[in-house]
Amino acid sequence: MELATDTHNGFAVTLRNLEKRFGDFVAVNRVNLDVRKGEIFGFLGPNGAGKSTTIRMLCGILEPTAGSGTVAGFDITRQAEEIKKHIGYMSQRFSLYEDLTVAENIDFYSGIYRIPAARKNARKEWVIEMAGLTEHRNSRTAILSGGWKQRLALGCAILHEPPIIFLDEPTSGVDPISRRNFWDLIYQLAGEGVTVFVTTHYMDEAEYCDRLGLIYRGELIALGTPGELKSRFMAEEVIEVLCDQPQEALEPIEQLAEVKHAALFGRGLHVVAERADDAIPAITARLKELNLPVNRIEQILPSLEDVFVSQIESHDRKEAPQREVAS
Amino acid sequence: MLERLKCMLVKEFIQALRDPRMRFILFVLPVFQTVVFGYAVNTDVRQVATAIYDLDNSQESRELTAQFVKSGYFKVTEYVDRDSQVRELIDRGKVKAAIRMDRGFGAAIRAGRSTPLQIILDGSDSNTAGIVLNYAGKIAARYSEQLQLQQVTRKGGIPMRTGGVELQSRAWFNDNLESRNFYVPAVIANIVMIITMLLSSMAVVREKEIGTMEQIIVTPIRKFEFILGKTIPFVLIGFLDVALITLVAVFWFEVPIRGSLLLLFGATALFLMSSLGFGLFISTISQTQQQAMMSAFFFIFPAMLLSGFAFPIENMPPAVQWLTYANPLRYYIVIIRSIYLKGVGVAVLWPQMLGLAILGGVILSFAVRRFHKTLS
């Protein structure tokens, strides 16, 4: 791989006002983003938020409606075919040929990527080993489990050792152990200097990323490291309340003036408040009145999910009046 | 270029040949269709099931009945004596024709008078009815001629010498007018069209369905490499099917092949441009294999009906006849039949080959232009 290509002021991906419309529907709304070289960048958002659409524009298979961007230093509208030589892409569907064997799938993609003859065999063995398919190299792909297919698909997508990898919900439909192994693999690749751009809607996976972008209704609503998001993007404070009957405690707590929002969380409640110091005594008092014993109540560091929910809610609050004016 | 094309081809062949259903479609179906057309499709009319409705039962009426049987075109399966029976037999399809001779038939003939002979036909099959009528007319005419001759001879006279015209017909290229010779070669055209158009479009759309298309278009493969990789296997399969059907036609059904095999393959190559062009076009407008199949049949049925395969183009209204000039199958069928039966070469067939080349070029370039390496 040419070295010059994957640096554009040190950024693997740069996006400026990127926009994609399908008719009246705005799938991606003026997204600005810079992804540094060698970073694991996570794109977090609910289904239909525009994650896949963005990634497809970056891979040069979907043309943006407006805006611009570069991937590996190439323009996404004018140099799509150049980009394709420098990226690996894997979609949530693990697109393999099920009627071909493991080895035949690898041979096919290594031919398409024109891996030099000298490296071909080494790359093939690397993929087979990495995916743990030594025993199954001559089995048809159709019989493999989800985790195997996932790693084989990743292997086929990075046979040509691209400096940037795009993974679109790579762990959907895969068991937890395979997911964990898959992330080990991603760390390994990132350690070798590969930029990884990954979309997910799993909060725990988002924690593994170096940096995160929160996308909601086509808009990038928050950007930062997981730590930054938890501290900077959370204006309110979060209180965890552990009690025996959280369902019954939920409504009375939400009605308190000091509380903005409460939600069931595991075996307790997460309560969002302007100031935890004011809310804790109020909650304690209210629950005592209702004769609901509290096991523990304390301010905690918000989880990514808290941040995500709070960001979406504040986004909706901002949008709602505008929408009323519009309609 | 060549390396990517090579691995596309390897993949396509593995996929086509590994699937038992595909193997069946590619190799068994063509032979099966040829056999069906060779044995079952027969527009020759012989041994028509016939009822005799003889109310006279005289020597003359039995004589005429014997004449009908002797001709080989009629086979007497029933004797009836009531109108209602005739009706019943034709309704149930037990007979296709009924021959009725009224009381006094023999007496009239003996007295030297004309007498009617009635033939009742099942007109629901208009083609057969027309042919049967024609045969019956000839038999009746010949019998009248015989009667005249007999009467003149019986009266001791010498038959009058009159001038006359006797038709001596000879069907070139197909002496016995066997419909098999007409249909079996043209099966090639149908099979090649169905297999290449349908399967090539489905091969592309299948990749959309299983998601590998998305994976392929993020690779640096070029559009032409992909298109060639998808079409070349079907060119070879098309040639193979031509050879397969020819073998069955020549060695099993003894259909003569008088022209050049090389020319047959050349014409097939020209035809494949149109057929694969349509296949590619269908793949650009379909998202699922089911849609591709429906769209392919949308092309295949009119193409077959307006090709002259079964229904003569000369019988179509002029506007429709003009339409058939835009049908590649029309030219291909003329070429195939001419090579097989007439044994003619490029000197005669060049207009059809030119037609195929022009249509193929237009269709193929239109389809290639529409084909994009992006999601839409």
Side-chain angles (χ1 to χ4, degrees):
Chain A
M1 288 301 144
E2 305 105 279
L3 264 177
T5 53
D6 56 327
T7 52
H8 192 77
N9 307 323
F11 291 118
V13 175
T14 65
L15 297 181
R16 295 289 172 267
N17 294 315
L18 190 72
E19 190 174 306
K20 180 71 193 178
R21 292 168 183 273
F22 296 104
D24 284 341
F25 176 67
V26 185
V28 175
N29 194 358
R30 282 171 306 196
V31 167
N32 288 288
L33 180 65
D34 293 306
V35 176
R36 278 189 289 274
K37 218 187 117 193
E39 176 170 59
I40 301 179
F41 182 82
F43 223 28
L44 185 66
N47 290 331
K51 301 189 299 277
S52 297
T53 308
T54 307
I55 237 177
R56 285 172 175 168
M57 287 193 280
L58 295 178
C59 294
I61 56 177
L62 199 63
E63 210 158 308
T65 315
S68 62
T70 65
V71 169
F74 298 105
D75 188 279
I76 59 168
T77 41
R78 281 174 291 121
Q79 294 172 296
E81 290 304 305
E82 237 5 85
I83 289 175
K84 289 173 186 176
K85 290 181 194 162
H86 296 90
I87 59 163
Y89 167 75
M90 183 183 133
S91 77
Q92 61 212 42
R93 296 171 73 181
F94 314 148
S95 313
L96 298 159
Y97 294 99
E98 303 229 315
D99 41 0
L100 264 54
T101 66
V102 168
E104 284 164 349
N105 266 292
I106 299 172
D107 290 341
F108 173 69
Y109 282 109
S110 93
I112 294 293
Y113 281 114
R114 289 207 286 209
I115 312 291
R119 302 235 348 105
K120 220 171 219 178
N121 223 24
R123 291 302 292 160
K124 182 174 175 178
E125 293 311 315
W126 178 83
V127 171
I128 288 176
E129 173 126 354
M130 173 273 276
L133 288 165
T134 320
E135 312 259 296
H136 294 283
R137 59 193 301 149
N138 293 319
S139 306
R140 292 207 197 159
T141 316
I143 64 151
L144 302 181
S145 72
W148 267 334
K149 281 183 190 165
Q150 173 204 43
R151 276 185 289 170
L152 177 59
L154 177 69
C156 288
I158 60 174
L159 273 168
H160 56 308
E161 301 173 80
I164 305 174
I165 307 176
F166 292 95
L167 305 168
D168 191 4
E169 293 188 15
T171 54
S172 59
V174 165
D175 66 84
I177 294 169
S178 297
R179 262 172 73 186
R180 188 61 245 186
N181 289 341
F182 190 78
W183 275 93
D184 286 343
L185 205 65
I186 291 178
Y187 275 128
Q188 194 189 321
L189 290 166
E192 292 163 13
V194 174
T195 310
V196 179
F197 191 114
V198 56
T199 73
T200 183
H201 52 234
Y202 293 119
M203 296 298 159
D204 59 333
E205 282 189 3
E207 299 269 6
Y208 302 148
C209 298
D210 295 332
R211 237 158 37 102
L212 284 172
L214 236 60
I215 187 166
Y216 180 63
R217 292 196 171 150
E219 282 179 51
L220 195 62
I221 57 173
L223 187 66
T225 64
E228 279 169 355
L229 288 180
K230 287 180 213 167
S231 53
R232 196 143 52 80
F233 281 87
M234 193 73 189
E236 302 89 352
E237 294 177 333
V238 179
I239 303 152
E240 184 178 51
V241 182
L242 293 182
C243 56
D244 290 338
Q245 290 128 309
Q247 287 95 336
E248 283 163 48
L250 181 63
E251 228 184 277
I253 292 177
E254 274 205 306
Q255 284 162 355
L256 291 170
E258 293 85 352
V259 169
K260 290 185 84 170
H261 173 73
L264 289 167
F265 207 97
R267 295 178 58 201
L269 294 160
H270 275 198
V271 180
V272 178
E274 204 74 56
R275 280 173 48 80
D277 292 346
D278 297 341
I280 291 178
I283 296 169
T284 318
R286 183 83 183 105
L287 292 183
K288 199 163 190 177
E289 270 171 47
L290 294 167
N291 223 353
L292 291 165
V294 176
N295 298 332
R296 196 169 79 211
I297 178 160
E298 61 180 349
Q299 188 187 345
I300 55 160
L301 198 65
S303 71
L304 268 179
E305 191 164 340
D306 294 321
V307 179
F308 195 51
V309 170
S310 135
Q311 282 295 317
I312 285 177
E313 287 191 336
S314 74
H315 182 85
D316 282 347
R317 276 197 297 275
K318 266 187 282 171
E319 287 272 291
Q322 289 174 12
R323 233 176 278 140
E324 271 160 34
V325 170
S327 66
Chain B
M1 164 91 189
L2 281 178
E3 192 190 348
R4 289 207 192 107
L5 182 55
K6 199 189 94 193
C7 54
M8 271 298 289
L9 291 176
V10 168
K11 173 188 85 92
E12 292 299 320
F13 274 113
I14 293 176
Q15 289 190 306
L17 300 179
R18 193 167 277 169
D19 182 1
R21 280 173 307 177
M22 275 294 272
R23 281 201 299 262
F24 180 84
I25 292 174
L26 294 177
F27 306 115
V28 181
L29 201 67
V31 174
F32 178 74
Q33 268 228 25
T34 313
V35 170
V36 166
F37 275 94
Y39 281 120
V41 178
N42 198 337
T43 50
D44 305 348
V45 179
R46 286 202 186 109
Q47 299 282 324
V48 177
T50 308
I52 298 295
Y53 185 11
D54 185 356
L55 293 170
D56 195 45
N57 210 4
S58 59
Q59 192 197 336
E60 284 76 12
S61 69
R62 283 195 297 272
E63 223 171 72
L64 182 58
T65 305
Q67 296 262 357
F68 271 94
V69 174
K70 211 175 69 189
S71 72
Y73 298 126
F74 296 87
K75 184 179 171 197
V76 175
T77 54
E78 307 275 347
Y79 287 91
V80 296
D81 49 22
R82 277 196 309 276
D83 276 355
S84 60
Q85 285 177 305
V86 173
R87 175 92 211 193
E88 165 108 10
L89 286 168
I90 288 188
D91 277 354
R92 293 185 182 279
K94 291 244 172 80
V95 300
K96 292 269 176 213
I99 292 163
R100 172 174 166 162
M101 288 158 286
D102 282 336
R103 203 171 299 260
F105 180 84
I109 288 173
R110 281 192 299 275
R113 279 183 280 116
S114 286
T115 178
L117 165 75
Q118 188 183 31
I119 180 154
I120 300 155
L121 296 165
D122 177 358
S124 62
D125 181 353
S126 59
N127 198 30
T128 307
I131 295 168
V132 171
L133 191 62
N134 189 23
Y135 292 149
K138 281 186 187 161
I139 292 165
R142 199 178 310 138
Y143 184 61
S144 305
E145 219 171 89
Q146 267 178 24
L147 288 175
Q148 268 174 6
L149 212 68
Q150 277 171 13
Q151 267 184 345
V152 172
T153 321
R154 204 178 302 146
K155 286 179 179 160
I158 300 159
M160 243 197 314
R161 296 174 61 94
T162 52
V165 179
E166 192 189 345
L167 180 67
Q168 291 195 337
S169 62
R170 197 165 159 233
W172 274 10
F173 314 123
N174 190 2
D175 292 328
N176 299 325
L177 287 175
E178 300 231 27
S179 50
R180 177 182 290 171
N181 289 359
F182 182 70
Y183 285 111
V184 169
V187 169
I188 290 179
N190 284 337
I191 289 285
V192 167
M193 178 175 66
I194 294 172
I195 296 234
T196 56
M197 188 192 293
L198 191 62
L199 298 188
S200 67
S201 64
M202 285 171 71
V204 176
V205 175
R206 187 176 52 207
E207 299 228 13
K208 289 192 196 176
E209 248 180 27
I210 60 177
T212 46
M213 193 65 149
E214 195 173 330
Q215 196 67 45
I216 284 272
I217 62 179
V218 292
T219 72
I221 193 169
R222 291 195 195 97
K223 176 172 144 179
F224 278 96
E225 294 163 336
F226 183 82
I227 291 176
L228 284 174
K230 282 286 174 191
T231 48
I232 289 176
F234 292 100
V235 171
L236 297 180
I237 285 164
F239 283 151
L240 199 72
D241 280 336
V242 171
L244 206 61
I245 298 167
T246 300
L247 284 175
V248 177
V250 172
F251 291 103
W252 187 257
F253 290 114
E254 299 179 335
V255 175
I257 178 154
R258 302 191 172 102
S260 149
L261 274 176
L262 204 64
L263 190 64
L264 182 63
F265 283 102
T268 302
L270 290 178
F271 176 70
L272 285 176
M273 297 201 323
S274 306
S275 168
L276 292 172
F278 271 124
L280 200 61
F281 170 73
I282 289 165
S283 75
T284 65
I285 57 169
S286 313
Q287 292 305 317
T288 65
Q289 293 190 72
Q290 215 165 5
Q291 283 172 4
M293 201 176 334
M294 295 301 286
S295 318
F297 279 112
F298 180 78
F299 285 107
I300 287 171
F301 280 124
M304 287 215 292
L305 294 175
L306 300 179
S307 67
F309 170 72
F311 311 107
I313 291 172
E314 299 76 44
N315 294 358
M316 297 171 189
V320 179
Q321 287 197 29
W322 278 103
L323 204 63
T324 64
Y325 286 107
N327 180 5
L329 200 63
R330 171 205 165 115
Y331 302 104
Y332 189 42
I333 284 187
V334 170
I335 294 172
I336 292 174
R337 281 180 176 152
S338 305
I339 291 174
Y340 259 86
L341 301 176
K342 296 186 186 171
V344 292
V346 183
V348 172
L349 295 174
W350 69 265
Q352 279 80 12
M353 299 189 83
L354 187 67
L356 276 187
I358 292 171
L359 282 175
V362 170
I363 295 164
L364 196 57
S365 52
F366 176 71
V368 168
R369 210 174 271 251
R370 260 194 67 97
F371 194 90
H372 293 297
K373 231 191 107 186
T374 47
L375 297 170
S376 48

